[in-house]
């Protein structure tokens, strides 16, 4: 994020690879800013544990504990040796009062993180693999500057800069399952593969697919 947080080194906490930083449903009273290492976010959906995200240095997680005073909505696990800054309500208020520029950037990060988490959770609630993959492309298209919209309908083709592994990660499917779905979309001429990019021929088609599956689920 480009923030100088060296003054908050006293809030630093270290976790070893495999450590559970917090568990889904437990009370939360702190959030974390990653300084080193990767953190995996997982959630139980039905009876299956699904990976929601892998976070890297500079990213925040666990912020809902501060914003909503709600139980943890997912679990966080250290994928490597992880160093974080741990903020609770008390030291977060110190940060807000004493460093308005840093506080504003953190709040903007909060907003984006909340949106991203809810958007990815929506994808995982879809039961149909094709709908999941389609919804990933819709999610990624929302950040594409070349995308134009006509009222609420998406009409233009769009190039998505992602790999098959990225798509697999975001939709909670194995790479093999994702490849099978992509082969179907390619055969239907809905998506073309361009090296490490994908050309979606008409996002409206994918939107209709997702909407129809979501109604059934």
């Amino acid at each position: 994020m480009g923030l100088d947080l060296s003054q908050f080194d006293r809030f630093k906490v270290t976790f070893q690879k495999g450590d559970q930083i917090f568990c889904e449903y437990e009370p939360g009273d702190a959030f974390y800013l990653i300084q080193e290492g990767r953190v995996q976010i997982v959630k139980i959906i039905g009876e299956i544990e699904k990976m929601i995200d892998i976070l890297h240095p500079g990213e925040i997680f666990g912020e809902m504990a501060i914003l909503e005073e709600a139980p943890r909505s997912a679990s966080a696990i250290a994928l490597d040796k992880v160093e974080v800054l741990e903020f609770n309500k008390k030291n977060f208020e110190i940060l807000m009062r004493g460093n308005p520029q840093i506080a504003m950037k953190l709040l903007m990060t909060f907003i984006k993180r909340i949106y991203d988490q809810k958007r990815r959770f929506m994808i995982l609630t879809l039961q149909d693999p094709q709908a999941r993959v389609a919804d990933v492309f819709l999610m990624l298209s929302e950040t594409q500057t070349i995308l134009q919209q006509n009222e609420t309908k998406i009409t233009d083709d769009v190039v998505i800069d992602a790999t098959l592994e990225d798509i697999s990660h975001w939709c909670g499917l194995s790479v093999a399952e994702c490849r099978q779905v992509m082969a179907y979309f390619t055969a239907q001429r809905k998506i073309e593969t361009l090296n490490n990019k994908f050309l979606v021929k008409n996002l409206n088609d994918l939107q209709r697919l997702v909407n129809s599956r979501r109604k059934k689920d």
Side-chain angles (χ1 to χ4, degrees):
M1 289 189 298
L3 303 180
D4 180 12
L5 296 172
S6 57
Q7 59 190 302
F8 299 104
D9 281 349
R10 63 188 183 278
F11 303 137
K12 186 177 295 185
V13 180
T14 301
F15 296 94
Q16 300 303 317
K17 181 178 180 180
D19 284 354
Q20 194 152 45
I21 300 170
F22 56 71
C23 298
E24 186 175 359
Y25 303 122
E26 73 179 15
D29 60 0
F31 73 93
Y32 304 87
L33 171 61
I34 304 174
Q35 292 197 303
E36 180 181 322
R38 299 170 301 154
V39 174
Q40 183 181 48
I41 306 297
V42 298
K43 181 175 180 63
I44 301 297
I45 299 177
E47 297 182 354
I48 301 173
E49 185 177 81
K50 295 287 187 180
M51 181 175 67
I52 301 295
D53 209 351
I54 295 178
L55 306 179
H56 299 83
E59 295 193 87
I60 288 172
F61 63 99
E63 65 276 5
M64 299 310 292
I66 298 293
L67 300 177
E68 287 189 348
E69 298 184 355
R72 298 294 189 188
S73 61
S75 299
I77 302 167
L79 285 180
D80 316 293
K81 179 182 176 181
V82 172
E83 289 188 353
V84 298
L85 296 182
E86 182 181 64
F87 292 101
N88 54 34
K89 283 190 175 182
K90 185 175 180 179
N91 58 31
F92 183 55
E93 288 173 1
I94 294 172
L95 170 66
M96 294 284 284
R97 290 196 304 267
N99 303 271
Q101 183 179 6
I102 292 176
M104 181 58 68
K105 290 185 178 181
L106 285 174
L107 287 173
M108 294 304 294
T109 300
F110 279 173
I111 293 170
K112 183 178 185 303
R113 290 284 300 146
I114 292 168
Y115 173 80
D116 288 348
Q117 287 182 359
K118 289 185 175 180
R119 187 66 181 85
R120 291 176 185 179
F121 177 71
M122 287 177 61
I123 293 170
L124 295 178
T125 60
L126 290 164
Q127 300 300 313
D128 182 68
Q130 291 179 11
R132 282 197 190 181
V133 173
D135 206 17
V136 168
F137 280 106
L138 292 173
M139 178 188 74
L140 295 176
S141 74
E142 293 162 7
T143 63
Q144 300 292 315
T145 56
I146 63 171
L147 180 64
Q148 296 179 350
Q149 295 183 341
N150 178 18
E151 296 179 349
T152 59
K153 293 184 179 179
I154 302 171
T155 56
D156 289 345
D157 298 350
V158 61
V159 175
I160 302 296
D161 188 0
T163 66
L164 185 65
E165 289 74 17
D166 293 333
I167 305 300
S168 170
H169 163 65
W170 284 313
C171 67
L173 299 173
S174 69
V175 173
E177 290 173 314
C178 191
R179 184 177 289 111
Q180 190 173 30
V181 173
M182 290 300 300
Y184 169 79
F185 284 148
T186 299
Q188 295 293 313
R189 298 187 177 181
K190 296 181 184 296
I191 297 176
E192 292 181 11
T193 302
L194 307 170
N195 296 321
N196 285 333
K197 297 182 180 180
F198 298 98
L199 173 63
V200 180
K201 301 297 292 181
N202 192 324
L203 285 166
N204 266 326
D205 289 344
L206 299 188
Q207 186 71 72
R208 282 192 290 269
L209 171 63
V210 170
N211 290 345
S212 65
R213 296 299 189 272
R214 187 158 279 135
K215 289 177 181 178
K216 291 180 180 180
D217 293 343

